[in-house]
Amino acid sequence: MTLPRGDGEVVSNTRVAVRVRPMTSIERDLGAGRCLNISGGNRVACSDARTWNSEDFTFDHAWELDETQEEVYAAIGEPALRAAWDGYDVGVMAYGQTGTGKTFTLWGDDRGRDDRGRVDNIAFDHDAGLIPRIGADLFARVERERAGAVVGGSGTGAEVRVEMSAFEIHCELARDLLAPVSSERDKDDRGDHDLEVAKDGSVHGLTARPVASRKQFEGFLAEATRRRAGSAWRRSHVVVRLVLTRFPRGGSGGAPVSSSSAPVSSSGVATAAMRDAPPAVSRLTLVDAAGSERSAAGADSPVNKSTSALRRCVDTLAARAKSGEAVASIRPVTADDDDGSVPDDAGRDEAALTRVFRESLGGNARSFLIASVSPSDDDHPETLDTLRFAASMRLIRGRASVNVDPDARRVTALRHEVAESARVLEALKKDLSLARVRQT
């Protein structure tokens, strides 16, 4: 669902970071060479040892082998959470060849996994990934807001509600990773619920769990990871989606609360103007994409359809950006589109993954990409393919606005009308009283 747009419109390119995995022990033993050279913190040169051809790229960040998870979070995770906190939809995707560290970047290590492959806890240490760090940071902010403390320079005392969903996509069907466990037998449930992804990116029948604390968030994350580990699906895309609703304490609605520009009193308390305005509702979508290499089944087979559709969509949008085409809003999906008679002009509705990431592909969202690559000469073709994809993503610009709940907006408008009517009535009463005094 695409919510009506409020104030604070921002036009921005996708922020892209490249992360190089370390050479494996096998590669070192075999004397494999390097096909990558990183310089200046954002420039990457990819060379083919067989032809001596080299291709240069510039990104927002490019990390050698010694960067930490904290540095990755500071560059990508923290800005993504801050944008969602301010009311914008946000999409973060980890993309690249299998075995290049996408899952490590997003989830962290697997020290919470027992000898049966289950994950019963999420270890939070220096190796914690982007998703656990976002959860920890999010609920630290929530607690500070609830306490009325200062957050990002302007504490507001705003109330924040969080909902979490997790699912994986395989062969164009979605599997719920947080479906309720209803019986003893279901404790080994793999989330075997084949759900369809609608054109607007929603998944009908998907479980949305209310989350009240960091501990609860990490418990749900462990549950989703356990179910994924037990799934028979391979080459699946895993999606974690957080929905944040922010409104000031003391009312059913509140202004979109920006961590940098919210109207607050000198004591850090939300102003009356904030309490009178509707809440901001934002979605933070985190995607651990399947390996970008094509399987033997073919590019348009069900197992590869989403990855192929994503590439075509990104190529189309990048070509438009190169031609200087202005940033345009994505046409909202309506009920009339169900028959497929009105396709998206960039192919966002072609596959489940592009539908889920729809607004982050030049739409109403702030977009981030982490491209994971191998430094080995043996992987040069896949590494170059990933870098070209990342360069195309960086050209794509979105027009993001603070999302406002339409029902709350209507309620707020009615409240203003009632308040204005009361003001006019009070003024008339005063005029009538003065007129009576003069007559006497």
Side-chain angles (χ1 to χ4, degrees), residues 350-396:
E350 281 189 19
L353 181 59
T354 50
R355 293 177 180 183
V356 166
F357 214 59
R358 171 186 174 86
E359 293 297 338
S360 297
L361 296 169
N364 179 25
R366 305 290 296 276
S367 184
F368 300 81
L369 178 77
I370 301 174
S372 297
V373 293
S374 163
S376 172
D377 277 340
D378 293 338
D379 294 321
H380 172 267
E382 291 292 345
T383 294
L384 182 58
D385 185 64
T386 298
L387 293 174
R388 287 172 175 172
F389 174 87
S392 295
M393 274 290 290
R394 190 167 183 258
L395 293 173
I396 297 173

Side-chain angles (χ1 to χ4, degrees), residues 93-96 172 237 287-292 294 299-300 304-318 346-358 360-361 367 369 389 392-393 396:
M93 178 180 287
Y95 179 95
E172 297 308 291
H237 312 280
V287 178
D288 182 0
S292 57
R294 296 177 176 86
D300 293 321
N304 291 325
K305 182 175 179 180
S306 274
T307 302
S308 298
L310 176 65
R311 287 172 171 170
R312 286 193 295 268
C313 180
V314 168
D315 287 345
T316 297
L317 294 170
R348 298 179 186 89
D349 57 7
E350 281 189 19
L353 181 59
T354 50
R355 293 177 180 183
V356 166
F357 214 59
R358 171 186 174 86
S360 297
L361 296 169
S367 184
L369 178 77
F389 174 87
S392 295
M393 274 290 290
I396 297 173

Side-chain angles (χ1 to χ4, degrees), residues 185-309:
R185 180 180 62 82
D186 287 341
K187 288 185 179 179
D188 284 328
D189 176 45
R190 306 307 184 210
D192 293 332
H193 309 287
D194 292 345
L195 307 173
E196 291 188 4
V197 180
K199 286 189 176 181
D200 64 357
S202 61
V203 182
H204 301 309
L206 185 67
T207 302
R209 297 277 190 95
V211 191
S213 66
R214 169 180 167 179
K215 182 178 180 180
Q216 193 173 31
F217 171 81
E218 290 177 351
F220 289 152
L221 205 59
E223 181 180 346
T225 306
R226 174 183 67 81
R227 291 190 177 183
R228 183 195 183 192
S231 173
W233 284 0
R234 295 295 179 262
R235 289 186 57 79
S236 65
H237 312 280
V238 179
V239 182
V240 174
R241 177 170 283 168
L242 301 175
V243 179
L244 282 60
T245 304
R246 300 191 66 219
F247 47 86
R249 188 175 305 175
S252 60
V257 185
S258 168
S259 61
S260 57
S261 59
V264 295
S265 67
S266 58
S267 62
V269 178
T271 65
M274 289 174 60
R275 290 190 293 272
D276 286 341
V281 181
S282 59
R283 297 181 301 177
L284 174 53
T285 301
L286 302 135
V287 178
D288 182 0
S292 57
E293 67 277 5
R294 296 177 176 86
S295 75
D300 293 321
S301 66
V303 71
N304 291 325
K305 182 175 179 180
S306 274
T307 302
S308 298

Side-chain angles (χ1 to χ4, degrees), residues 374-439:
S374 163
S376 172
D377 277 340
D378 293 338
D379 294 321
H380 172 267
E382 291 292 345
T383 294
L384 182 58
D385 185 64
T386 298
L387 293 174
R388 287 172 175 172
F389 174 87
S392 295
M393 274 290 290
R394 190 167 183 258
L395 293 173
I396 297 173
R397 291 188 298 164
R399 188 184 298 276
S401 298
V402 172
N403 294 311
V404 177
D405 187 318
D407 293 332
R409 172 174 280 182
R410 285 191 288 271
V411 170
T412 298
L414 290 172
R415 282 179 177 166
H416 282 300
E417 290 180 15
V418 170
E420 180 63 17
S421 298
R423 188 190 66 78
V424 172
L425 181 59
E426 187 63 28
L428 290 174
K429 286 180 179 179
K430 289 181 180 179
D431 290 343
L432 182 59
S433 297
L434 289 173
R436 286 173 176 172
V437 169
R438 289 175 184 150
Q439 287 177 353

Side-chain angles (χ1 to χ4, degrees), residues 156-179:
T156 65
E159 183 64 23
V160 184
R161 295 175 184 171
V162 181
E163 287 187 332
M164 176 180 177
S165 299
F167 57 98
E168 60 178 338
I169 297 170
H170 177 76
C171 289
E172 297 308 291
L173 291 175
R175 179 169 296 171
D176 195 341
L177 297 177
L178 288 179

